[in-house]
Amino acid sequence: KKLSEEEKAFLRATATRWNNEGSKPEVKARLAEKHTAKKLAVFVQQMWLDMGVRMLFFVSFRWPNGKITCTELNFNDTLGNGKVYLTVNASFQSARITSCDWLQHNTTYY
C-alpha cells in the first residue's frame, strides 16, 4: 500500500517530535524494561576492549506500570580478571550508597 500525503505528513511529524522530545513515556518504559541490561552489557564490553575501562551502573527507570525502580548493574566479573565490585569493595559498602538512595534521588526527579 502506498502512503497518502496525509499519512506521510503524520509520520514525519511523529519522527520530528520523537527526535526532539524522545518517545512517549509508556514506550520508554517498555524499552527500558526490555533492553537496558543488554545495551549496557554491550557498551561495557566495548569500553573494556577499546580502553580497558570497568564500570558500575546505578540504573533507574519507570516500569510500564508507572512504578520507579532502581538497581545496580555490574558486569566487571565478565571482563578480564574482574570481580563484582559491590561484593568485594568494602569502602563502597561502608559509604552506605545504596540502590535505595538512588531510588530516592530519582523519585524526586521523575
Side-chain angles (χ1 to χ4, degrees):
K1 173 188 169 192
K2 199 170 190 175
L3 296 176
S4 69
E5 288 305 315
E6 185 177 294
E7 290 170 318
K8 289 178 186 178
F10 172 78
L11 293 173
R12 277 194 293 274
T14 300
T16 299
R17 187 176 66 252
W18 280 34
N19 286 331
N20 292 332
E21 302 169 15
S23 57
K24 294 178 180 180
E26 57 272 14
V27 173
K28 287 180 183 178
R30 283 195 317 272
L31 293 173
E33 178 181 25
K34 186 173 182 178
H35 298 293
T36 298
K38 286 187 258 184
K39 286 189 175 238
L40 285 176
V42 170
F43 176 67
V44 164
Q45 183 68 25
Q46 198 60 52
M47 291 295 287
W48 173 251
L49 292 173
D50 290 352
M51 299 176 247
V53 173
R54 295 181 186 273
M55 297 178 192
L56 168 68
F57 296 92
F58 278 96
V59 178
S60 182
F61 61 88
R62 192 178 299 275
W63 288 105
N65 68 7
K67 186 173 180 169
I68 297 172
T69 188
C70 66
T71 190
E72 304 94 11
L73 291 176
N74 186 340
F75 303 99
N76 289 301
D77 59 328
T78 67
L79 308 172
N81 191 30
K83 302 286 185 259
V84 174
Y85 185 77
L86 294 174
T87 59
V88 297
N89 191 301
S91 64
F92 186 85
Q93 293 170 355
S94 68
R96 300 186 195 278
I97 300 169
T98 67
S99 59
C100 292
D101 297 325
W102 185 238
L103 175 60
Q104 183 59 46
H105 171 81
N106 282 284
T107 300
T108 304
Y109 297 103
Y110 261 102

